[in-house]
Amino acid sequence: MGLRLPLRRSASFTPDHPALLEVPGPAALKMEANVLVMGADNVGKSEFIYSHNLTVDGREILFHIWDVPCSQDQADQGSSEEKRIQWADSFVLVYSICDRASFNILPLKVQFIKAAKEGLSQEKVPIVIVGNKRDLHHQRVVSSEEGRLLALSLDCGFYEVSAAEAYHGALMVFHGLAERIPDTRLALKKGTRIRGIVKSMSAVFARKRTDSL
Ligand code: GDP
Ligand code: MG
């Protein structure tokens, strides 16, 4: 298994809240984030496997995405899973709203990720929980409320989407993830090495954002 980047899509996501409107092109900070997509088999993880390039809140972020099938998870638990988790800056945990078992495994996954990542730093790990296949409402067995409550109790973001039906769902997820990744956790895109400048630019953007609230 390796990095899978079969498709490249670019999108600019404009949030509803005017205070979060993106800063125009040339000023955008180019950054990279490693995302691990985890979840049971057949929940729709593959729909999230794109190299997303998103401009969020003045930061242009290229997401490198790695999808971990659950079966593979079990086959080589231990060091390789640990390595993948260490590689990732942020996590998307997908379940299907039609598959109770895929939902039930999430608390353990989150616990495992937090144990592996938070031991090293005091920062919260950016994790977004995604209830997928929202379009299949007749087959729904996990309510939106259950999903939202679980995410709240685990301090994770939450979205319900139909990843296969609408690309917008995946965009929302990556936007939510970006909001949870502090600037300090993002690696600068290769070739951009002026860390000091980026830090001070982030400070300016942060101030702008506060000013406009
Ligand atoms: P993975 O095993 O988690 O990677 O799951 P896949 O991405 O291969 O998806 C499994 C199946 O679910 C495929 O047949 C997809 O077309 C289907 N699927 C994925 N997302 C959705 C969705 O939002 N709605 C519906 N109805 N089907 C979906
Ligand atoms: Mg897959």
Side-chain angles (χ1 to χ4, degrees):
M1 189 185 55
L3 259 182
R4 295 174 50 199
L5 303 172
L7 265 183
R8 189 173 285 259
R9 293 180 179 181
S10 282
S12 189
F13 189 96
T14 307
D16 296 336
H17 197 291
L20 292 175
L21 280 178
E22 65 195 53
V23 175
L29 308 177
K30 289 188 194 301
M31 292 168 157
E32 291 179 309
N34 294 341
V35 184
L36 196 57
V37 179
M38 303 168 89
D41 285 332
N42 212 38
V43 295
K45 291 185 301 299
S46 300
E47 316 299 326
F48 293 86
I49 311 307
Y50 298 104
S51 178
H52 295 274
N53 198 349
L54 225 65
T55 301
V56 181
D57 204 10
R59 305 180 299 181
E60 186 187 322
I61 306 174
L62 174 66
F63 290 99
H64 299 294
I65 300 156
W66 198 344
D67 147 42
V68 183
C70 202
S71 43
Q72 204 154 0
D73 242 9
Q74 268 139 29
D76 65 353
Q77 257 192 0
S79 70
S80 7
E81 182 172 51
E82 186 82 28
K83 267 185 212 149
R84 287 192 293 263
I85 289 176
Q86 292 312 339
W87 167 85
D89 313 297
S90 50
F91 300 82
V92 173
L93 301 191
V94 187
Y95 68 93
S96 161
I97 63 153
C98 315
D99 177 355
R100 167 69 54 181
S102 72
F103 179 72
N104 290 344
I105 62 168
L106 294 186
L108 264 179
K109 291 263 167 221
V110 171
Q111 228 178 307
F112 192 77
I113 293 167
K114 288 189 172 180
K117 299 296 272 188
E118 285 182 351
L120 304 171
S121 98
Q122 295 301 309
E123 272 177 17
K124 271 196 279 181
V125 186
I127 304 174
V128 171
I129 290 176
V130 179
N132 191 34
K133 307 199 183 184
R134 192 184 180 192
D135 55 296
L136 301 178
H137 34 89
H138 296 305
Q139 294 167 44
R140 181 191 281 275
V141 292
V142 183
S143 72
S144 306
E145 204 52 36
E146 277 179 281
R148 201 170 298 117
L149 283 176
L150 180 74
L152 197 66
S153 71
L154 296 170
D155 202 6
C156 299
F158 178 69
Y159 294 94
E160 255 193 15
V161 301
S162 290
E165 299 290 300
Y167 180 59
H168 182 73
L171 264 187
M172 265 190 342
V173 168
F174 285 99
H175 183 262
L177 202 58
E179 284 188 335
R180 294 181 159 259
I181 309 176
D183 283 354
T184 48
R185 286 281 277 263
L186 286 166
L188 277 184
K189 208 169 166 182
K190 282 177 198 74
T192 322
R193 291 208 187 87
I194 327 159
R195 256 188 193 282
I197 289 183
V198 167
K199 274 192 187 142
S200 50
M201 282 170 82
S202 313
V204 171
F205 290 139
R207 208 173 315 128
K208 263 196 183 158
R209 228 180 302 150
T210 325
D211 288 351
S212 55
L213 282 176

